[in-house]
Amino acid sequence: MRCTREIEVRDLEEIAINLDPIQAGGRLTPEAMKAIIAYGDGYSVCDNCRKPFRLDQIKKPPIDSFHRDLAKFVNMDEARVMPGARRGFQAVAGTYAGKGDPVLLTALSHYTEFLAIEAAGGVPKEIPKDGANRITADAAAAKIEEVTRGHGSPPPLLFIDHFDYQFGNEHQVREIAKVAHSYDVKVMYNGAYTVGILPVDGKALGVDFVVGSGHKSMASPAPSGILATTKEYAPELLRTTRVKGDVTGRSFGVKEVELMGCTLMGATIMGMMASFPAVKERVNRWQEELTNGKVVIDSLASIGGTSILSEMPRRHTLTRVDTRGSFDRVAETHKKRGYFFTSALADHGIGGVIPGATRVWKFNTYGLTRAQCEYVAAAFRDIARENGIPVS
Amino acid sequence: MRCTREIEVRDLEEIAINLDPIQAGGRLTPEAMKAIIAYGDGYSVCDNCRKPFRLDQIKKPPIDSFHRDLAKFVNMDEARVMPGARRGFQAVAGTYAGKGDPVLLTALSHYTEFLAIEAAGGVPKEIPKDGANRITADAAAAKIEEVTRGHGSPPPLLFIDHFDYQFGNEHQVREIAKVAHSYDVKVMYNGAYTVGILPVDGKALGVDFVVGSGHKSMASPAPSGILATTKEYAPELLRTTRVKGDVTGRSFGVKEVELMGCTLMGATIMGMMASFPAVKERVNRWQEELTNGKVVIDSLASIGGTSILSEMPRRHTLTRVDTRGSFDRVAETHKKRGYFFTSALADHGIGGVIPGATRVWKFNTYGLTRAQCEYVAAAFRDIARENGIPVS
């Protein structure tokens, strides 16, 4: 089936159980699907835009109350929607990182955090990970001291991922925020893998900025995301324009500089809004997600020569696994080489693993039912057995 | 009908002829509607993302060839998709406007251009409009000289809107680009009201950067847009990341700094791509759009006390009209006050005029059929006659 002559319809979610590491939390709800159809047209949410002409003030559809709900959802004072988490990072870095300023992030930070700092003219400095691939408050403190000695003053900002994209390991956000604040370093919480899939309480974590991703974890179309902050920092981060036309004397009222004014004027925000009731509810089922995921983890761990590289027990459904001693051994002599594995998974109706990957790879069980997890677990074991790998 | 308990289905385009000034070029094509359904899920276009892991290199769906087609479409060398035209302005300003640098724009520039310059730390300087609300090359030259005297060196950049958002007037892009280049000033072409609705040839215009809006003029969901440039400036504007992890030594390959890496990873780009064949074709029907729009213009001009504030004859379907001497006179004594006008339009099945507006307002006939334009023209005259306004 085709959308146009050149565009095939995507059917991965219909024909397979999808283990893709980044797609799990971004599948639309049925409500979001209805909303993007109803609000597909470009500036569709602007029908009832009235003074002061800003997206987060539109009452119909109720975008204004959605913004208040979003702030509550992550327990912060103010929230805005953004075209992706990365644009949230950019807004924070753009506000606080001056040219040449060091900005802390971690040895497990996502590339978009580096880019946000680079675009602002800052210099990214990594907090090392420990032997278990975790970022600790001690390491953060040591890095702040090291950077402060080199730079002469503390870094303005520290970016910390609650769970990183590489291992899905949990990092000491609350402790790191506390340490950072003791050095007067502001803290941005990267919730790309948390906001929308597990409960996030920005105030309890003690962070200054919360960034989340709509298309990664809030069942929303791309690009979408949120940026939230406290009463203290809202006037800086969400500052309104101060420039004036030197000829016309025009000024631009309440438009927020780092947002470039309005951000998501149609299908993207309506997808976020329509999914939001389900998203608010699903974060409370996180333990169930972990329990289901464990079925798959246990299966992989039972396959000889396979090791789970992520921290154990798993506290996230995104997991990094090393099959160099199992499936990769098979790939060495298989006529399909590495592709035997994704091909065997496809035969079982399982997708989302990078074709040819048999060494170190990632998967995500988020959103799968218990029955689907059991099916996937059995499939991994079957594929191992069929290829002569011992299963305990 | 509802998407969720709180979200009503939008039906403006189904129940009315929509004259909204900003929505006309962003209505989805049927193909785009199919594509956003098939690719609604968050990171839906990433199924087949392979090394070097960048949106514009994905072959399935054919996002890579779409990027080449986009560059050709505006006759530039390189093109990227962006989350809105404003993010294109931001990328250009972020690359070229240093702190305190003056950046030229015009007395008719859109607020997002001011914000892009402000965010980059630049100082916006307006080229005055002439008595006919047009920006001329002479005015640009005079402003460049004035700014150069004040700043000690020429401004790095000049932003020019081909057609402005206030009057829909055409400005002397080619002549301004020539003048700007003679002072070594780079030129950004704001095609928010042109790219996707009329033919745009960046090389013929002699501009260095072309920015367009998907949701405003390319029949695409928001936020979407394009940023295009020449071989000469691509290495600067589309520069790839140069930072390194100081602990891990990580670097991030081909990720483009001003884009924050990938930009539109799902419904938005697929909507753009699916509409593109129709968009490429429709720009060739621009004269027909103007001819149809003229029917409405002639109707308004025939209503006593009404004047068209935009340049005449119209060279764009976006028009600013002054009805202070006609419909606003009626509003003075009508029991519905200014709302009588939008209410009467609604009775005729016409929407998109700001409720209560009877003084100076804008409308856009883009995309309406000849029959629809004739219907709208008759409705304006009918409403005038019914309210005792003379019609010639």
Side-chain angles (χ1 to χ4, degrees):
Chain A
M1 201 158 56
R2 291 176 173 273
C3 304
T4 69
R5 194 167 59 87
E6 296 191 328
I7 303 175
E8 283 179 49
V9 163
R10 177 178 189 247
D11 55 10
L12 179 62
E13 302 290 351
E14 287 76 21
I15 63 168
I17 295 175
N18 181 12
L19 298 178
D20 186 284
I22 64 171
Q23 292 176 334
R27 292 177 198 116
L28 297 196
T29 58
E31 293 77 19
M33 191 55 82
K34 283 192 251 181
I36 67 169
I37 294 171
Y39 288 86
D41 290 341
Y43 278 114
S44 60
V45 303
C46 308
D47 292 338
N48 300 290
C49 184
R50 306 281 173 260
K51 275 188 184 165
F53 303 115
R54 205 173 72 184
L55 183 71
D56 63 305
Q57 316 263 337
I58 292 174
K59 288 187 169 25
K60 193 185 162 193
I63 297 175
D64 60 343
S65 62
F66 174 61
H67 276 80
R68 293 192 293 273
D69 292 347
L70 265 185
K72 259 185 249 165
F73 179 58
V74 294
N75 196 19
M76 297 292 276
D77 300 319
E78 287 280 347
R80 296 290 185 275
V81 294
M82 297 295 282
R86 61 194 75 200
R87 295 293 181 171
F89 307 153
Q90 183 184 26
V92 175
T95 302
Y96 293 106
K99 212 170 162 64
D101 282 347
V103 176
L104 297 202
L105 35 56
T106 85
L108 296 169
S109 283
H110 194 252
Y111 84 85
T112 51
E113 296 174 70
F114 282 85
L115 260 55
I117 296 164
E118 183 175 7
V123 182
K125 295 283 182 184
E126 295 174 316
I127 303 167
K129 58 187 183 170
D130 69 10
N133 294 310
R134 280 186 283 221
I135 310 298
T136 66
D138 287 348
K143 190 73 183 195
I144 293 172
E145 299 227 343
E146 175 196 322
V147 164
T148 304
R149 279 194 302 274
H151 186 62
S153 59
L157 267 180
L158 181 154
F159 286 3
I160 177 72
D161 303 11
H162 191 171
F163 288 86
D164 68 87
Y165 77 101
Q166 291 188 39
F167 295 93
N169 287 354
E170 185 168 14
H171 306 292
Q172 298 183 348
V173 174
R174 193 193 326 233
E175 298 80 357
I176 290 169
K178 207 173 157 188
V179 150
H181 286 159
S182 75
Y183 291 95
D184 275 332
V185 178
K186 287 172 281 293
V187 177
M188 191 208 76
Y189 170 94
N190 176 2
Y193 284 98
T194 58
V195 174
I197 66 163
L198 58 88
V200 170
D201 183 330
K203 293 267 172 80
L205 293 167
V207 297
D208 305 301
F209 315 103
V210 169
V211 171
S213 170
H215 49 266
K216 196 170 256 162
S217 297
M218 300 177 77
S220 303
S224 60
I226 81 158
L227 169 65
T229 187
T230 59
K231 277 199 190 87
E232 182 181 0
Y233 292 114
E236 295 167 3
L237 180 64
L238 304 175
R239 69 195 176 282
T240 52
T241 172
R242 274 168 257 177
V243 298
K244 259 198 173 174
D246 61 326
V247 170
T248 61
R250 287 185 292 164
S251 59
F252 306 94
V254 298
K255 304 293 189 180
E256 291 164 337
V257 179
E258 291 291 344
L259 275 68
M260 298 285 121
C262 302
T263 51
L264 310 179
M265 314 78 160
T268 42
I269 180 140
M270 294 311 295
M272 291 185 86
M273 281 175 59
S275 278
F276 192 57
V279 162
K280 271 197 294 192
E281 199 266 326
R282 78 184 192 181
V283 298
N284 299 317
R285 292 198 307 269
W286 182 234
Q287 284 310 317
E288 195 181 317
E289 293 285 345
L290 293 179
T291 307
N292 290 343
K294 187 172 182 302
V295 176
V296 177
I297 298 291
D298 289 348
S299 159
L300 285 166
S302 75
I303 294 169
T306 298
S307 56
I308 306 297
L309 298 180
S310 302
E311 64 180 354
M312 290 289 280
R314 299 297 306 122
R315 286 184 278 192
H316 202 284
T317 53
L318 168 71
T319 297
R320 188 180 184 93
V321 62
D322 181 347
T323 52
R324 282 176 296 186
S326 52
F327 297 118
D328 195 53
R329 291 265 171 94
V330 177
E332 282 170 14
T333 57
H334 200 287
K335 67 179 190 299
K336 292 185 183 173
R337 291 181 302 174
Y339 294 94
F340 97 92
F341 185 54
T342 31
S343 167
L345 286 169
D347 290 343
H348 284 78
I350 297 168
V353 175
I354 291 185
T358 49
R359 298 171 64 77
V360 173
W361 48 282
K362 297 189 287 185
F363 66 94
N364 197 339
T365 57
Y366 185 75
L368 302 189
T369 63
R370 178 63 171 235
Q372 287 176 317
C373 286
E374 284 168 357
Y375 177 86
V376 170
F380 279 135
R381 276 194 290 258
D382 284 351
I383 296 167
R385 277 193 210 97
E386 283 159 15
N387 289 281
I389 305 171
V391 176
S392 64
Chain B
M1 200 158 55
R2 292 179 172 271
C3 304
T4 69
R5 194 167 59 86
E6 297 191 327
I7 302 174
E8 283 179 51
V9 162
R10 175 178 191 249
D11 56 10
L12 178 62
E13 302 291 352
E14 287 76 21
I15 63 168
I17 294 175
N18 182 11
L19 298 180
D20 186 283
I22 65 171
Q23 292 177 334
R27 293 177 197 117
L28 297 196
T29 58
E31 293 76 21
M33 191 55 82
K34 285 193 249 179
I36 69 170
I37 295 171
Y39 289 85
D41 290 341
Y43 278 115
S44 60
V45 303
C46 308
D47 292 337
N48 299 292
C49 183
R50 306 284 173 258
K51 274 188 186 160
F53 302 115
R54 206 172 73 187
L55 183 71
D56 62 305
Q57 315 263 335
I58 292 175
K59 288 187 168 28
K60 194 185 162 193
I63 298 175
D64 60 343
S65 62
F66 175 61
H67 275 80
R68 292 192 294 273
D69 291 347
L70 266 184
K72 257 184 251 166
F73 179 58
V74 293
N75 196 19
M76 297 291 275
D77 300 320
E78 287 281 345
R80 297 289 184 274
V81 294
M82 297 295 283
R86 59 194 77 201
R87 296 295 181 171
F89 307 153
Q90 185 184 25
V92 174
T95 301
Y96 294 107
K99 212 171 163 60
D101 281 348
V103 175
L104 297 203
L105 35 56
T106 85
L108 296 169
S109 283
H110 194 252
Y111 83 87
T112 50
E113 296 174 70
F114 283 84
L115 262 56
I117 295 164
E118 183 175 8
V123 181
K125 296 283 183 185
E126 295 174 318
I127 303 167
K129 58 186 185 173
D130 68 11
N133 294 309
R134 280 185 282 219
I135 311 298
T136 65
D138 286 347
K143 190 73 181 193
I144 292 172
E145 300 227 343
E146 175 196 323
V147 165
T148 304
R149 278 193 302 274
H151 185 63
S153 59
L157 266 179
L158 181 153
F159 287 3
I160 178 73
D161 304 11
H162 191 170
F163 287 85
D164 68 88
Y165 76 103
Q166 292 190 39
F167 295 93
N169 287 354
E170 184 168 16
H171 307 292
Q172 298 183 349
V173 175
R174 194 194 325 232
E175 298 79 359
I176 290 169
K178 205 173 161 189
V179 152
H181 286 158
S182 75
Y183 290 94
D184 273 333
V185 178
K186 288 173 280 292
V187 177
M188 192 207 75
Y189 170 94
N190 176 1
Y193 283 98
T194 58
V195 175
I197 66 164
L198 58 87
V200 171
D201 183 330
K203 294 268 174 78
L205 292 167
V207 298
D208 305 301
F209 315 103
V210 169
V211 171
S213 169
H215 49 266
K216 197 169 256 162
S217 298
M218 298 176 77
S220 304
S224 60
I226 82 158
L227 170 64
T229 187
T230 59
K231 277 199 190 88
E232 181 180 1
Y233 291 113
E236 295 168 3
L237 179 65
L238 305 175
R239 68 196 177 281
T240 54
T241 172
R242 274 167 255 178
V243 298
K244 260 199 174 175
D246 60 325
V247 170
T248 60
R250 286 186 292 164
S251 59
F252 306 95
V254 296
K255 304 293 189 180
E256 291 164 337
V257 178
E258 291 291 345
L259 275 67
M260 298 284 123
C262 303
T263 50
L264 310 179
M265 316 79 161
T268 41
I269 181 143
M270 294 311 294
M272 290 184 87
M273 280 172 59
S275 279
F276 193 58
V279 162
K280 270 196 294 190
E281 200 265 326
R282 78 186 191 180
V283 298
N284 299 318
R285 292 198 305 269
W286 182 234
Q287 283 310 317
E288 195 182 318
E289 293 286 346
L290 292 179
T291 307
N292 290 344
K294 187 171 182 302
V295 175
V296 177
I297 298 291
D298 289 347
S299 159
L300 285 165
S302 75
I303 295 169
T306 297
S307 56
I308 306 299
L309 299 180
S310 302
E311 63 179 356
M312 291 287 282
R314 300 297 306 122
R315 284 184 280 192
H316 202 284
T317 55
L318 168 72
T319 297
R320 190 180 184 93
V321 62
D322 181 347
T323 53
R324 283 177 294 186
S326 52
F327 298 118
D328 195 54
R329 292 263 172 96
V330 177
E332 281 171 15
T333 57
H334 199 285
K335 66 178 192 295
K336 292 186 182 172
R337 289 181 305 178
Y339 294 93
F340 97 90
F341 185 53
T342 31
S343 167
L345 286 170
D347 290 343
H348 284 78
I350 297 168
V353 175
I354 292 185
T358 49
R359 297 172 63 78
V360 173
W361 47 283
K362 297 188 289 186
F363 67 93
N364 197 337
T365 56
Y366 186 74
L368 301 189
T369 62
R370 177 63 172 233
Q372 286 174 318
C373 286
E374 283 168 358
Y375 177 86
V376 170
F380 279 134
R381 275 193 291 257
D382 284 350
I383 295 167
R385 276 192 211 99
E386 284 158 15
N387 289 281
I389 306 170
V391 175
S392 65

